[in-house]
Amino acid sequence: RRLLCVTPAADSRGEERLAVSLNGQQWTETTASFAFVEPASVHSVLPDISPDVGGSVIELSGSHLSDGSDYRCRFGGTATVDATYDAASSTVLCVSPPGMLGEVGVGVSLNGQQYSHDEALLTFYDVDALSTLPVYGGQAEAVVAVPVLS
């Protein structure tokens, strides 16, 4: 069983204690810790391009990305995937989802619930629109058709 609570607005950051009451009169004797943290923010995505079939490992850079408990990336405000935090580079890593096309905003969640605003962009291209040029000197060159959004 789960009990979901809405947190009050916080004037400061840091750890607080949480007690529970089922009737508003008696409270649990034991408390749990709860931390208010700065909201995460994504500034850039590397690489900033992915095929529409997904599967590209991308790296999100930004601020306040550490100390999460349930990392996830969100693409275009709809598609979400699990993610991990890389402490060595202070970035979040996730895999691009399939089925998207064009420029898509990317956000991150540190708790699996609240997401940053989609301020970084990832461009998905249509792999079916790729055309291979003739082979010259034993090597093929590929041209990627990326949609230009205005």
Side-chain angles (χ1 to χ4, degrees):
R1 294 188 176 174
R2 293 172 121 188
L3 176 65
L4 300 176
C5 302
V6 176
T7 60
D11 292 331
S12 62
R13 303 295 182 233
E15 193 169 298
E16 298 287 336
R17 301 303 295 169
L18 175 69
V20 177
S21 172
L22 298 177
N23 62 10
Q25 298 173 18
Q26 289 92 14
W27 295 86
T28 55
E29 291 182 21
T30 57
T31 59
S33 63
F34 180 85
F36 287 98
V37 297
E38 293 288 333
S41 180
V42 177
H43 303 291
S44 65
V45 177
L46 290 174
D48 61 356
I49 189 167
S50 172
D52 63 342
V53 294
S56 295
V57 176
I58 61 168
E59 180 179 58
L60 284 63
S61 298
S63 55
H64 310 293
L65 297 177
S66 63
D67 300 324
S69 58
D70 185 4
Y71 284 92
R72 297 186 192 178
C73 294
R74 181 173 65 185
F75 299 84
T78 57
T80 60
V81 297
D82 291 336
T84 58
Y85 179 71
D86 180 16
S89 62
S90 299
T91 60
V92 173
L93 303 172
C94 56
V95 176
S96 62
M100 307 203 103
L101 198 56
E103 283 187 338
V104 174
V106 180
V108 67
S109 174
L110 306 187
N111 63 7
Q113 298 175 38
Q114 288 85 22
Y115 286 84
S116 65
H117 297 288
D118 300 339
E119 58 264 340
L121 296 176
L122 179 64
T123 301
F124 286 85
Y125 63 89
D126 184 354
V127 272
D128 293 332
L130 294 178
S131 61
T132 303
L133 297 177
V135 176
Y136 297 103
Q139 295 187 1
E141 297 181 28
V143 175
V144 178
V146 178
V148 177
L149 303 176
S150 53

